[in-house]
Amino acid sequence: MAAEMSGGDLSRLRQLNALAVIKVLQGRSSLTLTEVAKRTGLSRASTEDVVRELLQKGWVAEAGATAGGVGRPARRYRFRADAGRVLGIDIGGHKIRAVAADLDGNVQHAARVPVTPAMGRLERLEAVDRAVTECLEGAGLTGGDVWASGVGTTGLVDGAGKVMLSEALPEWTGVDLAAHVRRLVPAPVLVENDSKLAALAECWRGVARYAKDMVFLLAGLRTGAGLVIDGKLHRGSATPPARSARCPCSAGSAPRSISAARPATCSRPRGRATRRRWRPCGAT
């Protein structure tokens, strides 16, 4: 959809309006046009145009009408999470995991291939291929059915999807993971450091989903960190900001019980005694 709507200021505005509508529909059973307009800040006419276009593209579907009241019942609309599929790949020292999900992140099928930290580049990439193939077959999908793929890996990753530096895995520095995954799944591929992706995941569905500012710490056989500031993933000077990732929680406001203006820390130790903790900064 983004590719079709780019190419000018007007097209960019339409794209932003469409994304705003999708965000308010996601996670809700259904909304009327009036409710969508109120939540997005768009006019009723603009909202109607955007919803009509999303209906034509298959991103939105009608969800019946509101019963009761005077006059014609208001039509309701819902986001179609089943309109497409996405693929997630986790590349670690001991396992390769591939997950197929719908557009709301609901897992359809997962595959896991064991590896060892001593494996070289070719062996690990072959394990990636096996995990992806098993996952797609288990979900009843082909590579062409996947709209986009996300890859998490240890090390520094540039904006093009290549590992700039990895000290944890042998022969992993210089691997072009985006190009490798596109061989199996010819769709856009985003490659990122796994700790940074974990930070975004905690914002989206984890313990920090109501916080705009948070620190994620990975503590296990290796250490890592991810920093989210104002809902955006922060990158240090060593990582080119070629692509931006935004925390899904930043689209809305936080409830009164947890202030979005206060930073949060989140730690996820790995090992036998795994625990998850969240607390606002400054709390005891």
Side-chain angles (χ1 to χ4, degrees), residues 150-169:
V151 183
T153 180
T154 179
L156 295 176
V157 182
D158 68 8
K162 180 182 290 186
V163 180
M164 300 167 57
L165 176 65
S166 176
E167 298 180 351
L169 302 179

Side-chain angles (χ1 to χ4, degrees), residues 43-64:
S43 67
R44 169 70 184 232
S46 296
T47 302
E48 190 170 0
D49 289 341
V50 171
V51 170
R52 184 185 303 112
E53 182 176 8
L54 293 175
L55 281 168
Q56 295 173 352
K57 293 181 179 294
W59 287 69
V60 169
E62 287 193 31

Side-chain angles (χ1 to χ4, degrees), residues 109-125:
H109 192 78
R112 177 185 177 118
V113 175
V115 293
T116 67
M119 276 186 175
R121 174 186 299 191
L122 294 181
E123 291 178 292
R124 200 170 303 276
L125 289 177

Side-chain angles (χ1 to χ4, degrees), residues 5-225:
M5 300 180 71
S6 61
D9 293 340
L10 180 59
S11 295
R12 177 58 177 167
L13 179 60
R14 292 172 60 193
Q15 179 189 12
L16 293 174
N17 290 344
L19 291 174
V21 170
I22 289 174
K23 285 182 178 180
V24 300
L25 288 176
Q26 278 185 301
R28 295 179 173 87
S29 57
S30 64
L31 293 174
T32 65
L33 283 177
T34 300
E35 292 169 335
V36 173
K38 182 178 180 179
R39 285 170 168 79
T40 59
L42 300 174
S43 67
R44 169 70 184 232
S46 296
T47 302
E48 190 170 0
D49 289 341
V50 171
V51 170
R52 184 185 303 112
E53 182 176 8
L54 293 175
L55 281 168
Q56 295 173 352
K57 293 181 179 294
W59 287 69
V60 169
E62 287 193 31
T66 301
V70 180
R72 186 175 63 180
R75 293 181 178 179
R76 304 187 69 87
Y77 301 91
R78 64 176 179 85
F79 174 66
R80 285 195 57 205
D82 61 342
R85 296 292 184 270
V86 292
L87 179 70
I89 306 171
D90 178 23
I91 303 175
H94 297 273
K95 72 178 185 306
I96 308 294
R97 192 165 187 258
V99 175
D102 64 15
L103 301 182
D104 268 339
N106 299 310
V107 175
Q108 308 296 303
H109 192 78
R112 177 185 177 118
V113 175
V115 293
T116 67
M119 276 186 175
R121 174 186 299 191
L122 294 181
E123 291 178 292
R124 200 170 303 276
L125 289 177
E126 288 175 358
V128 171
D129 293 349
R130 291 200 305 273
V132 171
T133 300
E134 291 177 15
C135 180
L136 293 179
E137 290 179 352
L141 302 173
T142 67
D145 296 325
V146 176
W147 284 18
S149 299
V151 183
T153 180
T154 179
L156 295 176
V157 182
D158 68 8
K162 180 182 290 186
V163 180
M164 300 167 57
L165 176 65
S166 176
E167 298 180 351
L169 302 179
E171 303 176 356
W172 206 238
T173 298
V175 174
D176 190 341
L177 285 174
H180 184 84
V181 172
R182 276 194 295 266
R183 293 166 47 254
L184 300 174
V185 184
V189 178
L190 173 64
V191 184
E192 185 55 274
N193 173 268
D194 51 6
S195 295
K196 291 182 172 62
L197 289 180
L200 288 177
E202 292 293 349
C203 280
W204 180 27
R205 289 195 167 189
V207 293
R209 59 188 178 276
Y210 298 124
K212 286 188 176 182
D213 305 316
M214 60 89 71
V215 177
F216 176 91
L217 300 177
L218 172 67
L221 297 177
R222 58 184 177 83
T223 59

